[in-house]
Amino acid sequence: NILTRENAIDTQAVVIMYGWFGASSKHLKKYVDLYVNHPRYKCAVVYGISRKAATITRSDKKLNAQVMDAVRKAVGTIQTIESARNANGNTTEVPIVLHYFSNGGAFVAEKFSLLVKNAISGNMKNSQDAEDLKFVHKRLAVGGYEIIDSAPAYLHDDLARRVVGQSIPNPLLKTMLQGLVCITIAMLKTSSCICGKRGTEEQFWNNMLESTLCQRQAFVYSSCDKFTDPEKLDEFIVARKKRGVEVMTLKFEDSEHVMHLYRHPKEYKEKLVDHVLKTVLVKGSETPLVQ
């Protein structure tokens, strides 16, 4: 989906947003509105949620398709805005913010990073897709920002089963999906062992550590999160800093998984969203705040 203000030509930034496992459009709309209805900065948002089966199986085909759908829509939106601007002598480029939640969004962001690497190295068959990926990457990597809410969550063996248990209210469907999770994990581990490759959890973690999508990242998380291991995430953040990434953190003590906006709306809006938009849109903004 794409949501913009009525006068889309005045859009100052484009946000790509990926929701968490089990989220609905209604849930995500609250975050979309933070940007589209922002009192100072005018934004358009391209947003979506992966299908449950695609997240559980981490399907390359389906997750890659979701990445490319958002990329094409973001490129089309930006080109429309900048074409109108250029006609009026305004050559300002529209920056991109990537905002995602939990591993449901992080799995898509992981594929996004891998597709960008393939596009840059010339290993993509579709030349237009490669150009679109490079276009978005340029706007995100240098002048953009990456907001990561409750992620990445380290893939402990029982994590996926617990997430399904929490997210699916229907008992029968819950049992079926938990069974699918166990089978998928067993198959991936067996395949990795036979091929002598890294395990799924290690591969995902390293892909996120080595991501070159953006040089500015904001992490919002909590020390009481039952799904995203805060100690592992603390280690992850230190590792990203060592790689030269500019990191901002907003860490709470009492908010549950992807519940930070609900528990701390003022801090989420002012210290996270407002700060990020000011950084990408106002020349000479302050260095990202670390809390």
Side-chain angles (χ1 to χ4, degrees), residues 101-150:
F101 306 82
S102 189
N103 277 3
F107 288 161
V108 186
E110 176 197 17
K111 300 304 181 187
F112 193 169
S113 177
L114 295 174
L115 284 172
V116 165
K117 288 179 180 178
N118 284 338
I120 292 173
S121 63
N123 292 328
M124 290 194 72
K125 294 180 179 179
N126 189 314
S127 59
Q128 186 57 58
D129 282 354
E131 290 305 310
D132 287 345
L133 281 163
K134 287 188 284 187
F135 178 95
V136 169
H137 179 244
K138 180 182 177 183
R139 299 298 176 91
L140 179 60
V142 180
Y145 224 118
E146 188 174 358
I147 299 178
I148 308 171
D149 186 323
S150 306

Side-chain angles (χ1 to χ4, degrees), residues 1 15 19 35 40 55 60 78 82 89 106 116 142 148 192 194 201 246 256 262 267 271 274 279 290:
N1 296 311
V15 180
Y35 294 100
R40 182 178 300 175
T55 301
D60 286 342
I78 290 173
E82 293 183 349
V116 165
V142 180
I148 308 171
S192 297
I194 292 173
E201 68 287 344
E246 203 173 89
E256 299 173 357
Y262 178 77
E267 292 90 338
K271 295 182 178 180
D274 287 2
T279 301
V290 178

Side-chain angles (χ1 to χ4, degrees), residues 85-262:
R85 281 185 179 180
N86 292 339
N88 295 322
N90 183 348
T91 58
T92 305
E93 291 188 346
V94 176
I96 293 176
V97 173
L98 176 64
H99 190 155
Y100 55 92
F101 306 82
S102 189
N103 277 3
F107 288 161
V108 186
E110 176 197 17
K111 300 304 181 187
F112 193 169
S113 177
L114 295 174
L115 284 172
V116 165
K117 288 179 180 178
N118 284 338
I120 292 173
S121 63
N123 292 328
M124 290 194 72
K125 294 180 179 179
N126 189 314
S127 59
Q128 186 57 58
D129 282 354
E131 290 305 310
D132 287 345
L133 281 163
K134 287 188 284 187
F135 178 95
V136 169
H137 179 244
K138 180 182 177 183
R139 299 298 176 91
L140 179 60
V142 180
Y145 224 118
E146 188 174 358
I147 299 178
I148 308 171
D149 186 323
S150 306
Y154 189 79
L155 295 175
H156 296 294
D157 286 346
D158 66 335
L159 175 63
R161 180 182 57 79
R162 289 190 289 115
V163 170
V164 170
Q166 179 74 21
S167 306
I168 308 299
N170 183 294
L172 178 60
L173 181 59
K174 180 188 299 185
T175 300
M176 292 174 61
L177 288 177
Q178 285 180 323
L180 176 60
V181 164
C182 293
I183 292 170
T184 300
I185 291 174
M187 290 176 63
L188 289 172
K189 285 192 172 185
T190 301
S191 176
S192 297
C193 185
I194 292 173
C195 299
K197 297 180 179 179
R198 290 174 173 171
T200 303
E201 68 287 344
E202 186 181 355
Q203 185 180 47
F204 166 66
W205 203 247
N206 279 312
N207 284 342
M208 295 300 288
L209 276 174
E210 295 170 1
S211 172
T212 58
L213 280 180
C214 189
Q215 289 303 301
R216 293 188 293 206
Q217 292 183 312
F219 293 87
V220 53
Y221 62 116
S222 171
S223 59
C224 71
D225 196 318
K226 296 179 181 179
F227 299 110
T228 299
D229 185 334
E231 292 184 3
K232 293 294 290 185
L233 188 48
D234 285 337
E235 295 172 5
F236 182 92
I237 289 169
V238 170
R240 290 295 285 169
K241 289 179 178 178
K242 288 181 179 179
R243 290 175 175 269
V245 177
E246 203 173 89
V247 174
M248 165 192 169
T249 61
L250 188 58
K251 187 176 182 180
F252 299 110
E253 302 296 328
D254 58 349
S255 48
E256 299 173 357
H257 193 68
V258 298
M259 291 291 285
H260 312 305
L261 175 62
Y262 178 77

Side-chain angles (χ1 to χ4, degrees), residues 1-2 16-23 25 28 46-56 58-75 98-113 115 129 133 136:
N1 296 311
I2 303 176
I16 297 175
M17 185 179 290
Y18 298 128
W20 61 94
F21 179 86
S25 294
L28 212 57
V46 178
Y47 64 101
I49 304 161
S50 299
R51 293 184 180 277
K52 292 181 177 68
T55 301
I56 290 172
R58 293 179 65 195
S59 165
D60 286 342
K61 181 179 179 180
K62 292 178 180 178
L63 295 178
N64 287 348
Q66 185 176 355
V67 170
M68 290 311 310
D69 182 53
V71 164
R72 294 184 193 110
K73 288 176 179 176
V75 170
L98 176 64
H99 190 155
Y100 55 92
F101 306 82
S102 189
N103 277 3
F107 288 161
V108 186
E110 176 197 17
K111 300 304 181 187
F112 193 169
S113 177
L115 284 172
D129 282 354
L133 281 163
V136 169

